Amino acid sequence: MMLSQLPDEGSSKPIPLWQIAPAIEFVCWVVVGLAPLLYVIIGAPVTSDQAVLQVSIVVLAVLGAILMRVIGFRNSRGWKELLVRLEEEEVT
């Protein structure tokens, strides 16, 4: 008996960004963590273009990780509870 390798015909909705935000954040922090190791292996940048590229990659990885953390928090239960508490305080 052969099993079909085609996906089920059920839902083909795309995965929301906030569900994969933790994985993307992890990848960004791995890039930031490996940057010093790569600096030691590859060495100091020889030209200003290389320096700008190395710094830009690290800065973009940090900004991406922070953005993914914010997106994940905005869609978490803690965020919703915080909004409910703020609304209750405004009413009273």
Side-chain angles (χ1 to χ4, degrees):
M1 177 177 174
M2 292 192 62
L3 297 175
S4 173
Q5 294 184 0
L6 297 175
D8 292 338
E9 294 298 325
S11 116
S12 61
K13 294 189 294 187
I15 299 173
L17 177 65
W18 64 269
Q19 286 185 343
I20 59 172
I24 297 171
E25 179 187 353
F26 176 75
V27 169
C28 289
W29 287 125
V30 167
V31 169
V32 172
L34 290 178
L37 178 65
L38 288 174
Y39 183 82
V40 169
I41 292 172
I42 296 172
V46 177
T47 65
S48 61
D49 292 344
Q50 290 176 345
V52 168
L53 184 63
Q54 288 178 2
V55 171
S56 299
I57 289 172
V58 172
V59 168
L60 288 174
V62 169
L63 292 176
I66 292 171
L67 179 64
M68 291 300 112
R69 175 64 58 104
V70 169
I71 288 172
F73 181 69
R74 292 267 328 234
N75 290 291
S76 69
R77 189 176 349 154
W79 176 257
K80 293 172 185 160
E81 290 173 359
L82 177 64
L83 289 177
V84 168
R85 270 189 269 138
L86 289 174
E87 287 175 0
E88 289 174 353
E89 289 178 4
E90 288 178 3
V91 172
T92 57

